[in-house]
Structures are given as C-alpha cells and as structure tokens.
C-alpha cells in the first residue's frame, strides 16, 4: 500500500515537472533576457524531482525489504516463539509513532522560538531533537536485533529439548 502511495506521488511530481517544463518553454519563447534565470530554475526543479524520485524509490525498496524480512521471519518462527515476534512488531510500531511525533514536534516554529529564548540559538533544540531521533532509531535497531536473536536462541533451545525428549522416549 505504501509503495502505491509513493509511486502515485512520484507520478504526480513527474506530471508537475512536465507542466513546469512546458511553462519554461513558453516563457523562453517570449524573450531571451531571462534565459539564464529560467535555465537555473528549470535545472533546480529537475534536480528536486530527481531527488524526490530517488528518495521515494529508496523508501519503497527499504519498505519492501522490511516486509520480505518480516514475512520470512514469521514463516520461520515456531508457534512457541511467535508471541515474541508479534510483540517485537508491536514495539516497532510504537517506536515508529514516537519517532514521527518527535519529528513533527521539532518542526513547530514554537520550538525554534523556545530554543532562541533558552539558548540564544534558534536551531539548538532542533539539533538536540535530531540527536534524540537518531538515538531512538539506534534503540529500535538494537531492540530488533535482540528480539530476533532471542527468538532464534529460543528456537534452537526448543529443538534441542525436543531431540532430547525424543531420545529419552525411544529408550
């Protein structure tokens, strides 16, 4: 679903770029006096579009890789370890929500005014917010790695115990 939304936004950006290019062409036909400025503006728009397309493509690729990893993990997890993995994804959802909330909070102009009043620098709290956001991401990655490792260790222990049980019941 996210992929379709991203692709739709890329298509909309491409359509806007075609519209802007046509407008630039019409304006260029009107007179050569501002050709340099128009060329720079057109180049800047194309550059922005390319950056948007690249960013969306990377986000879609990362989302798809995450979904494939999640499906593989759920497929290869036993019923005994499944609650750990499901709890993991619930925690990831919560951490993602907190990350988005922090991002939105630090976009408020009130934060810049508060930073200016407290530190004399309008960007100080924003920089601290970036640090908090990165630390939160690191915690999320560590939590993910720990939960997957614990599930794997639990699964290996379960298999070992099952094999021991099978040997003792055979004799």
């Amino acid at each position: 679903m996210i992929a379709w939304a991203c692709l739709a936004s890329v298509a909309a950006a491409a359509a806007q770029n075609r519209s802007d290019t046509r407008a630039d062409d019409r304006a260029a036909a009107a007179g050569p006096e501002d050709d340099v400025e128009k060329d720079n503006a057109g180049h800047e728009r194309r550059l922005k579009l390319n950056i948007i397309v690249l960013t969306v493509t990377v986000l879609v690729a990362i989302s798809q890789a995450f979904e494939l990893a999640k499906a593989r993990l759920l497929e290869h997890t036993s019923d005994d370890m499944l609650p750990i993995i499901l709890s993991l994804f619930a925690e990831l959802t919560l951490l993602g929500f907190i990350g988005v909330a922090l991002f939105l909070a630090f976009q408020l102009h009130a934060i810049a005014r508060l930073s200016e009043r407290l530190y004399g620098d309008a960007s100080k709290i924003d920089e601290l917010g970036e640090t908090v956001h990165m630390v939160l991401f690191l915690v999320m990655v560590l939590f993910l790695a720990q939960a997957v490792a614990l599930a794997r260790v639990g699964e290996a222990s379960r298999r070992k115990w099952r094999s021991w049980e099978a040997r003792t019941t055979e004799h």
Side-chain angles (χ1 to χ4, degrees), residues 99 101-135:
L102 281 174
F103 172 77
L104 293 175
F106 285 108
Q107 299 304 309
L108 298 173
H109 294 292
I111 298 294
R113 288 193 302 268
L114 178 66
S115 181
E116 181 69 39
R117 191 175 336 154
L118 293 176
Y119 297 106
D121 181 5
S123 64
K124 183 67 173 175
I125 291 180
D126 192 41
E127 291 169 9
L128 293 172
E130 284 295 319
T131 302
V132 168
H133 200 232
M134 290 301 125
V135 169

Side-chain angles (χ1 to χ4, degrees), residues 135-148:
V135 169
L136 182 64
F137 180 75
L138 177 64
V139 167
M140 184 173 66
V141 169
L142 291 175
F143 177 72
L144 177 68
Q146 181 183 17
V148 170

Side-chain angles (χ1 to χ4, degrees), residues 35-135:
D35 283 346
V36 173
E37 288 179 27
K38 290 174 188 169
D39 286 345
N40 288 340
H43 175 72
E44 192 172 315
R45 272 194 294 269
R46 284 187 294 282
L47 182 62
K48 285 180 183 179
L49 176 64
N50 289 337
I51 290 170
I52 289 170
V53 169
L54 179 64
T55 302
V56 170
T57 302
V58 168
L59 287 175
V60 169
I62 290 171
S63 296
Q64 292 301 314
F66 182 79
E67 288 297 323
L68 289 172
K70 178 182 174 183
R72 187 170 188 273
L73 185 62
L74 289 173
E75 180 181 311
H76 291 92
T77 301
S78 70
D79 291 340
D80 297 330
M81 296 295 130
L82 198 57
I84 293 173
I85 301 302
L86 294 177
S87 295
L88 164 75
F89 288 115
E91 289 296 323
L92 286 177
T93 301
L94 177 63
L95 286 173
F97 174 76
I98 291 170
V100 168
L102 281 174
F103 172 77
L104 293 175
F106 285 108
Q107 299 304 309
L108 298 173
H109 294 292
I111 298 294
R113 288 193 302 268
L114 178 66
S115 181
E116 181 69 39
R117 191 175 336 154
L118 293 176
Y119 297 106
D121 181 5
S123 64
K124 183 67 173 175
I125 291 180
D126 192 41
E127 291 169 9
L128 293 172
E130 284 295 319
T131 302
V132 168
H133 200 232
M134 290 301 125
V135 169

